[in-house]
Amino acid sequence: MSEVSVTKNAEGPAPAGDQLVVLDNVNKHFGALHVLQDIDLTINRGEVVVVIGPSGSGKSTLCRTINRLETVDSGSIAIDGKPLPQEGRELARLRADVGMVFQSFNLFAHKTVLENVMLGQIKVRKTDKAEAAKKARALLDRVGVGTQADKYPAQLSGGQQQRVAIARALAMDPKVMLFDEPTSALDPEMINEVLDVMQQLARDGMTMVVVTHEMGFARSAANRVVFMADGRIIEEAEPNQFFNNPRSDRAKDFLSKIL
Ligand code: ADP
Ligand code: MG
C-alpha cells in the first residue's frame, strides 16, 4: 500500500521555513566507491533524526558532508535556506551553525575544560572573554560537569569528556547538532550519562542528527529513523513503525542481527 517515505513525516511535508537541513540528490565518491548515492534528506527544525545502518554504509560521511568536512560530487546541501558554499567566509559562518560531536571526543588536551568550551566562542563568534567564560560555566553545569571546569580533559572520565564536547558544540549556538556514534567509545556504565544529556537536549527542542547503535535512544528520542545501507537511504520511518514493522529486507536483516 504505502511506499517508503522519503523526506516526509507523518504530517506531510513541512513548510519551507521549517526545513533546517536539506540534502538534495547528494552524491559522493571515494575513488571507485560510491559512498553516498542520490541522498535526499530533509531535517525539520526541532526534529531528532537517528541514522542507523551497517558499518561502512556511509553514515559518518553523511554527517561530515552536512558540515562540509567532506565535499560532495553533485547535489546540494542547504542549512536554514542557505546553500553550503565550497569555501570562504560564508562557509565558515554556515559551518558554525552546525555543531558536531564525534566518537572520539576531540577535546584540546592542553586546554582546561573551561577553555575548551570558551575557545570557539572567542575565535569564531568573537565573544569577549568574560562573556565566553560565563556561558561556558553555564553549559558545563547544564551537562553535569560544572565542577570539572578547571581540570584537563585527561583527568576526566570518557563520559565526562564527551559531555564537555557536547557543551563545547552548544557554546556556538548551533542550529543543528550532529552526533556521530557519540557513545561508541565509552565504557558501558558511562553511556547513559551521555544519552541522558542528549535526551534532554532533544526535549529542549534542539534539531539533532544522531548516528548511533543505541536503539533504546532511537525509540525514545527520535522523531524519525533513517536506515542506510551501501550509501543509500533504504528506508525512513517513525521509530515504532521502523522497529516493529520494517519494510525493506535490508532493514529486517539488520534489525535481526542487532536486536
Ligand atoms: P559508516 O559511518 O556508516 O560506517 P563511513 O561513512 O565511515 O561509513 O564510510 C563509508 C565507506 O566509505 C566505507 O567503505 C569507508 O571505508 C569509506 N571511506 C570513508 N572515508 C573514506 C576516505 N576518507 N577515503 C576513502 N574511503 C573512505
Ligand atoms: Mg561511522
Side-chain angles (χ1 to χ4, degrees):
M1 188 185 78
S2 57
E3 279 177 45
V4 176
S5 90
V6 178
T7 74
K8 277 182 214 146
N9 59 27
E11 291 80 45
D18 280 351
Q19 300 185 341
L20 191 52
V21 180
V22 179
L23 284 81
D24 183 16
N25 201 21
V26 166
N27 282 276
K28 177 165 186 71
H29 296 77
F30 286 121
L33 181 68
H34 198 170
V35 61
L36 295 178
Q37 304 191 35
D38 302 331
I39 300 286
D40 289 319
L41 180 65
T42 298
I43 294 150
N44 296 320
R45 220 176 285 279
E47 199 178 18
V48 177
V49 173
V50 165
V51 180
I52 66 175
S55 177
S57 55
K59 306 181 298 295
S60 292
T61 307
L62 176 71
C63 282
R64 292 167 60 82
T65 59
I66 294 176
N67 72 347
R68 207 49 180 66
L69 287 170
E70 299 281 359
T71 57
V72 299
D73 300 335
S74 65
S76 67
I77 300 174
I79 310 287
D80 207 3
K82 299 197 191 80
L84 268 185
Q86 291 295 314
E87 56 193 9
R89 214 177 302 158
E90 182 62 11
L91 173 62
R93 221 177 350 245
L94 284 180
R95 186 181 271 161
D97 289 338
V98 181
M100 181 125 186
V101 174
F102 303 89
Q103 178 176 334
S104 53
F105 329 120
N106 294 2
L107 296 174
F108 302 111
H110 302 291
K111 305 245 175 242
T112 65
V113 163
L114 187 74
E115 288 165 346
N116 265 277
V117 183
M118 288 172 64
L119 210 62
Q121 298 183 65
I122 293 167
K123 294 223 156 142
V124 181
R125 295 297 195 201
K126 311 294 180 203
T127 310
D128 78 64
K129 237 176 153 175
E131 188 63 28
K134 191 173 157 206
K135 185 169 180 177
R137 287 192 190 279
L139 284 168
L140 289 169
D141 280 341
R142 182 170 166 195
V143 300
V145 291
T147 57
Q148 312 297 314
D150 299 319
K151 293 188 180 165
Y152 286 87
Q155 297 173 284
L156 272 55
S157 73
Q160 289 173 324
Q161 289 186 58
Q162 192 60 301
R163 285 182 284 153
V164 173
I166 293 172
R168 182 175 62 174
L170 290 174
M172 305 297 284
D173 295 322
K175 291 179 176 169
V176 54
M177 286 279 285
L178 310 179
F179 294 86
D180 189 2
E181 299 200 27
T183 60
S184 293
L186 298 176
D187 292 334
E189 74 272 20
M190 293 170 190
I191 290 175
N192 280 336
E193 67 193 46
V194 172
L195 293 179
D196 287 349
V197 166
M198 292 167 61
Q199 185 82 248
Q200 190 56 52
L201 207 52
R203 270 190 225 115
D204 291 346
M206 177 59 76
T207 308
M208 296 164 57
V209 178
V210 183
V211 178
T212 186
H213 301 299
E214 295 294 331
M215 296 302 139
F217 177 85
R219 276 182 184 276
S220 63
N223 301 108
R224 188 155 43 116
V225 173
V226 168
F227 174 71
M228 287 186 74
D230 298 332
R232 291 183 182 277
I233 293 177
I234 305 290
E235 187 163 342
E236 273 187 78
E238 171 275 312
N240 266 332
Q241 154 154 13
F242 179 78
F243 289 111
N244 299 337
N245 195 14
R247 296 190 190 100
S248 62
D249 290 339
R250 291 299 302 262
K252 284 177 195 163
D253 181 55
F254 178 76
L255 289 173
S256 75
K257 286 176 180 142
I258 60 158
L259 292 180

